Amino acid sequence: MIRIENVTKSFDDIKAVDNVSVSINENIVFGLLGTNGAGKSTLLRMVAGILKPDEGTVTIDDRKVYNNTKAKRNMYFVSDTPYFFANGTPMDMLSYVANQYPDFNKEKYVEYLNTFSLAPGRKINTYSKGMKRQLALLLGICSGTKYLLCDESFDGLDPVMRQGIKSIFAKEMDERGLTPVIASHNLRELEDICDHVGLLHRGGVLLDKDLEDMKLNIQRAQCVFKSEEEEKKLKEKVNIVKEEQSGSLRTYTLRGTGEEIERAFGEVETIFFEVLPLSLEEIFISETEVAGYDIKKLIMG
Amino acid sequence: MTSRSSSWVDLRENNKRRLWQWCVALFFLVIMNVISFLISVMSINTESYTLTYGARAREMMEKVVRGYAESFMGVSGLNIFYTALIAAILGIWGFAYLNDRVKIDFYESMPAKKGRRFSVIWVNGLVIFAASYIVGMLINYGILTAAGYGNVFSMGEALQAFFILLAFFAGVYHLAILSEVLTGTTFITVCAFVVLSCYEIIMRGIVIMLKQDFFDYVHTMSGDLLPAISPYGIFGYVLNDLDDTGSMMPHMLYLIVFDLALLILVYVLYHKRPLEAAGKTIAFKGLKPVLKFLLTIPVGLFVADIVYGILKDSSKNTFKASAITIIVTVIASILVSALIQGIFEQDIRLAFRKKLNWVLGSVAALLIFFGFRGDWLNIDRYVPSPSMVNSAVFIPQGYDGKYTFLDSDLDMLDMEEFAVRYMHLTDAGTVCDITRLSMDRYDKEMEILGEGEYPESGMFEYAVVIFRLKNGHTMSRAIQVPVKDETVTDLLDTLLSSKEFKDGYYDFNRFDIDEAISMTTAKNLDARYTDGVWRKPLTVEETIEFMDLYMKDIEDISYKDRLEEYPKGHVIFCIDTRDRYDRTMEYDIPVYPCMKGCAEYITKKGLDTETMDYKDEITGITVTNYHNKETDEYYNSLGEDEEPDDEILNSLNTTVFYDVDSIDQIVPYLVSNEVYTYRWDGGKGVEPDYSVQLSFNSEGQIGKELAGYIPTYAFLEGEVPGFVEEDTSIR
């Protein structure tokens, strides 16, 4: 487990990360969301042991990570701008990274390179931006580490590649319990891949929730009541997050499971009633609006 | 787990990243060095040497090849330059990843210990230099052997040079790494390296400048500019040791210890360096004010000295000069401080922040400047007590007509270099007394002059005194010695007559004079004796005999012996030196009557013309009295706008004596102007007012030899015949 406890980091007069506490369980895909400058990269670089927190602690499996090779051996960091040796090839990178990570799976690496049509002997500086990101991710995946920290690594990947990487994640999670931590400023990038999401804003954590829980516990319902009395009755039975009205059509965002909502509507008289699924984006909008933020401005890139 | 094999893989991987650094090292240390050496060796034309030197051709060629081998395989200027350049490149660019966030993210997230990463890069730098150097050296050695000169430069010498250069390399390499870990961008790193390399020498230069401007007695020795706490300075000392006959081990050890200390410092700083410093100017925030302070001071001092120097010369108002100096220094300090702040912030708009730094920088510069000006620490007039002195050096500038000297290996040295190397005066009491008395007399003289009066002093002669203190330090004073002062003369007699002084001042006993002269004979020894009229050549044997006698005479005579004498002639000859420029050293040795061995030898050999015995050949003596004193007094008596009267000025009187009686009376008092040389000791000189010319019968022996040349003579001080004085007085 990655445990981030009361971590603060400042650069000169700017507080990049302010008293952040997040725990990342094993064998999940953790999404770290936030606008540019929210502190995602700084937090990930602290988790990667590159930066030393000014305050607080970052531990990986109960080992402090800064300056600790044992802790770092469990983690691979894919930077937002991955570095490759000048004139290096994927095989040169393999040679170096495999020397650092004893569990590096060379066969799998070559296999993945072929799968993604990345020529092992071709110079990396001739690769496209997306190919470089794929290569960086493949190096991380094959390093054999338990945790894979990806800083904006999915930006620029085409849907096919995303799906490919996603499949590999699923496979690795299944086979050896890989825990990818993916930072992104774009919620849509994470929507279909993450199990758990932390939302960073201005250096602090705004939200830290399991996506399934979030999806299960918030619903949208549309209905037309027979009378205003029925509407009042419903409002006493449910927890309304948001309410919209268009003529006699009411649209509610409600907390609770689908069953609970349906049961509550079953107890009032309606002309029309329907429970609709919410996209992750809509869930975030609702949740952050409750907290007083306009998420559209924050992360809907 | 760090296994040896994974370290090897790391080294190999790091090498791949440093290919261009390999290329630079190989280019200079192998390609350039080998090609230059090959061309040099091939350019030796055996036939030409055989024609010029005959049987000695091989010896001369070996000498030339050895010179080339020293240049390309030894501790030469070329190799020193290559070493420093490569060390800087390897140090800065080896660790340049610290300035790049992308690379930091990659390398620092890897599960490798920082110490291992450091050692891999550090070792690789050493390997790149050492391997390139050794390859170049071996190829050069192969060329040397193949050309048949394997004996002129041994592999041992080549390896010794390599280890010396390696120690120097390590120092510069660590300085470059230090620049890297202290800064955050490559441009600033390069600037920092230049500043770190030059800082001490600049500070020393400024301090020397201030000393020269404000101190009368503190003397700057040639080695004073050498920094003692930088690899360049310490290496300079090692080079001096290499030139000397002494051991270089102490300075080599110092250099190695310095290298190690610097290595520990950079290792610690490498670990402490915050990685977010990449892209910033200075990695350690706390260093910023310190650096600013350290950079502002030399600029402030330099400006203060220049401004004060200009104002002091153009205005007699010291207060005004000081006030303007303060204002300009403060402005300069603020501007420098602001500039550095702007660089730190990477935004010139933020330059005028941190105003407290302005105050500190300006105040420090002004305190140091005025501290020098007023000699607040009493540095200038300080003379150590004899009990503190281990040994001393006393260098009377130009005493006995000597300014350049030859070392035991016939290398040419200046007076200070020679004396520092060989003079060890244990009579520190006398040296201290001379120094103090000279300072006192000179101060008094200046005081009188300052009051607008003309002192009745004797003459002052320049000398340098160096004290080797028991605490290991050396201090030097430049003094004006009142050589006419009786007390000082007695002290000088004690000091300059001592064996210790002669051992450290006369270079003839340092080398084999027979060998030196015989070496010169290959180019025809130009040795001659002159008494002002004749120039009689000396053979090689005569020169060697004369020099043997001269060395004995020098041993026997005292300082005072010559004071009342005037040289009867000079022996002049040249020796080919063995210094790197193959210069020729000319010796001009005055022969005084008290130097009995030499004087008798000259007479015995008939080298004296004994011109004065040929009175019959003299047809006339022209004596001119310039009346210098009267002319000076006349000039001084003139008002500001008053024109001098030509009649009075023309009152200098020239009289020609034709009669035999007068000639007979004048001749014994005459000395040749040609044998008169500058005398540091203030000994017997000539009357400055009189000039004498002898005219010889053109048909006589001397007249024929002179072939129209008219020799000039003078009267010794206070020895002008009365009738001459009378006949040439102002009428």
Side-chain angles (χ1 to χ4, degrees):
Chain A
M1 177 191 250
I2 297 174
R3 205 185 293 274
I4 300 164
E5 289 177 301
N6 309 113
V7 164
T8 299
K9 181 74 188 175
S10 301
F11 300 117
D12 294 328
D13 302 332
I14 300 157
K15 205 167 248 186
V17 173
D18 188 10
N19 198 31
V20 167
S21 295
V22 180
S23 292
I24 301 172
N25 289 322
E26 292 169 22
N27 212 17
I28 58 158
V29 182
F30 188 96
L32 195 58
L33 265 174
T35 50
N36 293 328
K40 303 181 301 291
S41 295
T42 306
L43 191 63
L44 272 196
R45 293 173 88 210
M46 282 191 282
V47 175
I50 299 163
L51 300 181
K52 188 181 182 186
D54 296 338
E55 289 167 33
T57 53
V58 180
T59 57
I60 292 182
D61 294 341
D62 299 325
R63 285 194 181 107
K64 279 192 180 176
V65 70
Y66 187 74
N67 254 349
N68 186 341
T69 46
K70 279 184 183 165
K72 284 183 178 180
R73 207 162 283 147
N74 282 328
M75 168 278 302
Y76 189 97
F77 176 59
V78 182
S79 164
D80 53 347
T81 316
Y83 170 69
F84 302 105
F85 301 141
N87 291 318
T89 63
M91 296 315 282
D92 290 331
M93 297 309 297
L94 158 76
S95 165
Y96 182 81
V97 177
N99 188 46
Q100 309 296 324
Y101 293 94
D103 295 333
F104 193 95
N105 192 329
K106 294 179 185 177
E107 292 76 20
K108 197 181 271 182
Y109 177 71
V110 175
E111 188 190 318
Y112 284 151
L113 286 178
N114 292 327
T115 309
F116 284 88
S117 303
L118 300 172
R122 186 175 150 188
K123 286 187 178 174
I124 299 167
N125 54 20
T126 65
Y127 280 11
S128 70
K129 191 180 165 191
M131 288 160 91
K132 285 179 185 169
R133 286 192 185 278
Q134 286 169 41
L135 180 64
L137 283 165
L138 292 181
L139 281 166
I141 290 163
C142 297
S143 64
T145 58
K146 199 155 116 188
Y147 302 97
L148 180 63
L149 312 178
C150 309
D151 189 6
E152 311 266 4
S153 304
F154 284 79
D155 295 5
L157 287 189
D158 63 52
V160 180
M161 293 306 161
R162 278 169 55 82
Q163 197 53 42
I165 296 290
K166 201 174 149 186
S167 306
I168 294 174
F169 275 2
K171 191 178 157 200
E172 294 291 325
M173 287 171 77
D174 188 41
E175 285 178 2
R176 59 182 182 87
L178 174 72
T179 305
V181 179
I182 305 165
S184 177
H185 63 277
N186 195 337
L187 180 61
R188 289 185 190 108
E189 300 272 359
L190 301 179
E191 191 175 10
D192 55 344
I193 202 168
C194 293
D195 303 315
H196 195 106
V197 171
L199 178 61
L200 278 180
H201 182 60
R202 288 178 185 164
V205 179
L206 210 63
L207 192 79
D208 174 22
K209 286 195 172 173
D210 191 278
L211 272 186
E212 275 308 304
D213 288 352
M214 280 169 77
K215 281 179 182 172
L216 283 174
N217 281 301
I218 196 158
Q219 315 293 332
R220 179 188 289 161
Q222 283 186 327
C223 69
V224 178
F225 292 104
K226 280 189 174 174
S227 64
E228 284 186 6
E229 285 302 309
E230 294 303 314
E231 186 181 358
K232 279 179 189 170
K233 270 193 220 171
L234 179 82
K235 283 182 179 175
E236 285 166 10
K237 295 174 191 291
V238 294
N239 182 356
I240 299 171
V241 176
K242 196 178 169 191
E243 180 184 351
E244 287 168 78
Q245 186 176 350
S246 173
S248 57
L249 179 68
R250 305 282 194 276
T251 305
Y252 297 106
T253 304
L254 304 160
R255 257 188 228 290
T257 63
E259 281 178 7
E260 286 168 349
I261 302 300
E262 280 185 8
R263 200 183 307 128
F265 273 93
E267 290 170 6
V268 294
E269 285 190 31
T270 56
I271 297 168
F272 162 74
F273 157 68
E274 150 178 68
V275 177
L276 300 168
L278 257 76
S279 68
L280 187 61
E281 192 176 307
E282 288 167 323
I283 297 171
F284 259 85
I285 291 169
S286 305
E287 293 285 6
T288 50
E289 275 180 358
V290 171
Y293 291 90
D294 183 357
I295 190 113
K296 284 181 188 169
K297 286 182 185 169
L298 300 184
I299 52 175
M300 303 304 172
Chain B
M1 187 184 72
T2 306
S3 68
R4 194 191 297 173
S5 64
S6 69
S7 293
W8 171 245
V9 174
D10 275 0
L11 274 172
R12 209 179 55 202
E13 288 301 326
N14 183 252
N15 260 320
K16 287 185 192 168
R17 315 280 78 76
R18 301 175 83 170
L19 271 180
W20 75 270
Q21 292 166 37
W22 269 106
C23 290
V24 170
L26 289 170
F27 175 75
F28 285 111
L29 296 175
V30 180
I31 297 172
M32 288 287 284
N33 233 345
V34 169
I35 290 175
S36 308
F37 184 61
L38 190 64
I39 291 170
S40 303
V41 173
M42 283 172 68
S43 68
I44 295 171
N45 188 331
T46 312
E47 279 180 24
S48 164
Y49 272 85
T50 311
L51 278 173
T52 313
Y53 296 102
R56 294 183 63 217
R58 176 74 192 173
E59 182 196 330
M60 295 309 289
M61 283 192 292
E62 284 182 354
K63 190 183 165 192
V64 171
V65 172
R66 185 176 165 80
Y68 292 146
E70 281 173 354
S71 291
F72 298 107
M73 296 159 74
V75 188
S76 63
L78 195 69
N79 277 339
I80 292 168
F81 171 71
Y82 289 163
T83 304
L85 180 74
I86 292 164
I89 289 172
L90 292 174
I92 292 172
W93 275 277
F95 289 83
Y97 86 94
L98 290 171
N99 296 336
D100 188 333
R101 209 206 86 169
V102 174
K103 289 180 185 173
I104 283 179
D105 282 355
F106 179 74
Y107 287 113
E108 295 291 333
S109 64
M110 294 283 155
K113 283 188 176 169
K114 276 196 157 201
R116 178 172 151 189
R117 193 171 300 114
F118 180 91
S119 58
V120 164
I121 301 171
W122 182 82
V123 167
N124 241 344
L126 277 184
V127 168
I128 293 171
F129 170 74
S132 307
Y133 187 94
I134 289 170
V135 168
M137 186 185 79
L138 289 175
I139 297 174
N140 277 346
Y141 202 78
I143 293 169
L144 197 67
T145 313
Y149 295 103
N151 57 322
V152 302
F153 197 79
S154 71
M155 181 54 90
E157 285 176 286
L159 283 172
Q160 187 198 35
F162 166 65
F163 285 115
I164 292 169
L165 287 171
L166 189 65
F168 174 58
F169 169 85
V172 181
Y173 185 46
H174 295 163
L175 205 63
I177 302 172
L178 180 66
S179 313
E180 183 62 63
V181 293
L182 289 178
T183 57
T185 69
T186 303
F187 174 70
I188 297 292
T189 303
V190 173
C191 294
F193 176 72
V194 173
V195 170
L196 280 174
S197 297
C198 303
Y199 189 78
E200 197 188 352
I201 207 162
I202 287 172
M203 278 308 286
R204 278 174 185 262
I206 288 172
V207 167
I208 285 168
M209 197 171 86
L210 291 168
K211 280 179 181 175
Q212 281 171 350
D213 287 350
F214 299 119
F215 290 173
D216 289 328
Y217 303 114
V218 167
H219 173 65
T220 305
M221 290 165 68
S222 53
D224 285 358
L225 255 174
L226 276 182
I229 50 167
S230 88
Y232 308 99
I234 305 168
F235 186 65
Y237 290 118
V238 174
L239 288 183
N240 285 347
D241 294 342
L242 269 178
D243 286 343
D244 291 352
T245 46
S247 166
M248 64 174 181
M249 275 320 282
H251 282 127
M252 266 306 281
L253 278 176
Y254 179 27
L255 182 58
I256 291 165
V257 169
F258 180 83
D259 290 346
L260 289 174
L262 210 51
L263 175 63
I264 293 167
L265 177 70
V266 294
Y267 186 77
V268 171
L269 289 175
Y270 177 79
H271 277 75
K272 298 273 178 201
R273 186 184 193 274
L275 291 170
E276 57 266 33
K280 293 180 180 175
T281 45
I282 301 297
F284 298 92
K285 206 176 161 187
L287 269 183
K288 284 184 179 177
V290 180
L291 290 175
K292 206 195 287 184
F293 185 70
L294 290 176
L295 291 171
T296 308
I297 288 176
V299 177
L301 285 174
F302 181 76
V303 169
D305 193 55
I306 298 291
V307 172
Y308 188 79
I310 294 167
L311 293 172
K312 192 187 70 181
D313 291 341
S314 61
S315 150
K316 284 190 173 177
N317 188 339
T318 318
F319 178 77
K320 190 179 163 191
S322 299
I324 295 174
T325 303
I326 291 171
I327 293 165
V328 176
T329 306
V330 169
I331 292 170
S333 300
I334 290 172
L335 288 176
V336 173
S337 191
L339 178 70
I340 299 167
Q341 182 66 29
I343 294 170
F344 284 167
E345 302 281 353
Q346 295 177 318
D347 185 350
I348 204 68
R349 289 168 300 179
L350 304 176
F352 291 94
R353 277 177 158 192
K354 312 273 180 191
K355 294 181 181 63
L356 181 64
N357 293 341
W358 302 356
V359 180
L360 290 174
S362 310
V363 168
L366 287 169
L367 277 176
I368 297 170
F369 176 76
F370 284 101
F372 269 98
R373 206 198 71 169
D375 192 17
W376 290 349
L377 300 175
N378 192 30
I379 295 167
D380 190 29
R381 295 196 85 264
Y382 176 74
V383 178
S385 75
S387 62
M388 294 165 67
V389 179
N390 228 344
S391 70
V393 177
F394 187 83
I395 310 167
Q397 197 89 26
Y399 176 64
D400 223 5
K402 286 172 75 67
Y403 292 94
T404 47
F405 293 74
L406 277 187
D407 201 357
S408 52
D409 55 1
L410 297 184
D411 195 5
M412 212 181 226
L413 303 173
D414 68 28
M415 186 181 294
E416 196 171 295
E417 282 177 311
F418 185 84
V420 165
R421 207 172 282 185
Y422 297 112
M423 198 184 289
H424 298 275
L425 305 172
T426 50
D427 185 7
T430 304
V431 182
C432 291
D433 286 347
I434 293 173
T435 310
R436 269 196 215 93
L437 275 170
S438 299
M439 286 179 177
D440 290 345
R441 302 280 195 278
Y442 188 70
D443 283 352
K444 203 170 282 175
E445 185 97 351
M446 291 298 110
E447 207 175 297
I448 294 168
L449 276 172
E451 286 165 5
E453 289 177 36
Y454 197 74
E456 274 186 39
S457 64
M459 55 196 271
F460 286 88
E461 293 296 345
Y462 182 75
V464 171
V465 185
I466 299 164
F467 297 102
R468 297 188 190 92
L469 302 180
K470 285 177 179 166
N471 63 11
H473 289 114
T474 299
M475 61 176 289
S476 181
R477 294 286 177 266
I479 52 172
Q480 299 292 340
V481 184
V483 288
K484 297 278 191 187
D485 183 288
E486 272 183 37
T487 318
V488 173
T489 302
D490 288 342
L491 290 167
L492 287 171
D493 188 43
T494 308
L495 195 70
L496 271 58
S497 305
S498 69
K499 188 174 179 312
E500 282 178 339
F501 175 81
K502 288 170 183 172
D503 281 350
Y505 192 78
Y506 291 97
D507 52 358
F508 302 115
N509 51 6
R510 292 280 158 208
F511 54 85
D512 186 341
I513 196 116
D514 295 16
E515 190 200 334
I517 290 174
S518 66
M519 185 180 84
T520 305
T521 54
K523 288 184 181 176
N524 299 321
L525 177 73
D526 179 23
R528 60 192 189 275
Y529 173 82
T530 179
D531 63 358
V533 178
W534 292 142
R535 284 168 186 76
K536 294 283 187 187
L538 270 74
T539 63
V540 174
E541 290 72 28
E542 282 172 342
T543 311
I544 292 169
E545 280 171 15
F546 173 82
M547 287 310 298
D548 287 341
L549 290 167
Y550 177 71
M551 283 151 73
K552 194 172 176 316
D553 282 344
I554 286 294
E555 208 176 306
D556 293 341
I557 62 170
S558 73
Y559 173 77
K560 277 185 178 173
D561 286 342
R562 293 192 299 199
L563 284 182
E564 292 304 315
E565 292 188 347
Y566 191 80
K568 64 191 253 114
H570 280 235
V571 166
I572 300 162
F573 69 99
C574 304
I575 290 177
D576 294 342
T577 69
R578 283 182 191 151
D579 75 346
R580 66 189 69 177
Y581 310 108
D582 278 339
R583 286 176 292 188
T584 301
M585 170 103 165
E586 186 176 288
Y587 279 96
D588 187 347
I589 297 168
V591 180
Y592 287 87
C594 67
M595 295 159 67
K596 292 205 167 52
C598 291
E600 283 168 12
Y601 185 78
I602 296 296
T603 309
K604 192 178 93 184
K605 286 284 174 181
L607 300 173
D608 261 336
T609 54
E610 293 177 352
T611 306
M612 304 321 147
D613 288 344
Y614 294 91
K615 293 189 197 84
D616 296 347
E617 290 195 25
I618 298 172
T619 54
I621 298 178
T622 309
V623 179
T624 305
N625 187 344
Y626 292 101
H627 299 290
N628 288 329
K629 195 178 170 191
E630 286 83 353
T631 312
D632 283 350
E633 280 172 3
Y634 171 67
Y635 266 114
N636 289 335
S637 69
L638 287 176
E640 241 177 60
D641 300 323
E642 211 173 334
E643 288 292 320
D645 186 338
D646 284 346
E647 263 189 43
I648 297 171
L649 283 179
N650 291 335
S651 63
L652 52 89
N653 209 320
T654 299
T655 306
V656 184
F657 298 92
Y658 295 107
D659 59 303
V660 176
D661 280 353
S662 298
I663 291 172
D664 283 349
Q665 284 178 64
I666 292 170
V667 162
Y669 292 99
L670 292 178
V671 289
S672 168
N673 256 343
E674 216 163 307
V675 295
Y676 175 75
T677 51
Y678 159 72
R679 295 191 66 170
W680 185 91
D681 58 13
K684 198 83 172 176
V686 294
E687 277 293 341
D689 270 7
Y690 291 87
S691 166
V692 183
Q693 289 183 333
L694 298 192
S695 305
F696 289 94
N697 180 353
S698 58
E699 295 304 313
Q701 192 190 345
I702 295 175
K704 280 180 186 169
E705 291 210 23
L706 289 174
Y709 173 72
I710 299 172
T712 60
Y713 284 77
F715 293 110
L716 284 174
E717 272 178 325
E719 293 185 20
V720 184
F723 74 95
V724 174
E725 210 169 328
E726 203 174 300
D727 286 359
T728 59
S729 62
I730 296 172
R731 291 173 197 142

